[in-house]
Amino acid sequence: MSRPWKPSVTVAAVIEHDGRFLLVEEETNLGIRLNQPAGHLDPGESLVEACARETLEETAYRFIPKALLGVYMWSVPAPSPEQATTFLRFAFAGELGVHEVGRSLDHGIVRALWLTPQEIHART
């Protein structure tokens, strides 16, 4: 019997300020990678609440999501289709808030950094 299909719901923040984008360097199974501030939706929270929380936890910046940029779906391959993970990500733009200097970042986050589009392309 196959298991019911349940995508993993995630949120992400796309934050631009003075021509730079706020990204995180994080530890992954493939080494250090750049990513948007992002994470999983927790039980009982809205997508907007999750996006604000994840951004704060990963970057130490307050963020107020104001607009849904898009909804994206992709699957991570596995040895069998039943083991594959499908992600459903909701990406938001919004207002940058205060930086909580000295706040600890989530486990696995190396640092938050501001990069220009050219710097992002040079790292990919």
Side-chain angles (χ1 to χ4, degrees):
M1 179 161 77
S2 67
R3 67 181 177 134
W5 181 70
K6 292 184 181 179
S8 182
V9 177
T10 63
V11 293
V14 178
I15 304 167
E16 183 272 336
H17 182 72
D18 291 336
R20 294 180 179 272
F21 289 87
L22 181 60
L23 298 172
V24 295
E25 283 183 334
E26 63 182 335
E27 298 170 357
T28 73
N29 294 337
L30 301 173
I32 302 295
R33 296 284 193 243
L34 280 180
N35 197 3
Q36 300 160 317
H40 293 273
L41 178 68
D42 284 347
E45 79 184 338
S46 71
L47 294 169
V48 168
E49 291 166 341
C51 190
R53 175 186 53 77
E54 286 290 352
T55 302
L56 179 61
E57 291 174 353
E58 293 193 355
T59 69
Y61 280 92
R62 296 261 173 203
F63 177 65
I64 303 165
K66 292 287 190 174
L68 179 66
L69 292 176
V71 179
Y72 309 91
M73 186 170 69
W74 73 96
S75 293
V76 176
S80 71
E82 295 81 28
Q83 295 173 319
T85 301
T86 300
F87 292 92
L88 186 60
R89 175 171 281 185
F90 296 81
F92 291 89
E95 294 177 14
L96 181 65
V98 298
H99 182 215
E100 294 188 8
V101 178
R103 182 184 175 97
S104 296
L105 303 181
D106 265 358
H107 176 74
I109 301 297
V110 176
R111 65 181 174 150
L113 63 165
W114 291 95
L115 297 174
T116 65
Q118 296 79 12
E119 292 167 328
I120 295 169
H121 289 294
R123 290 172 171 242
T124 57

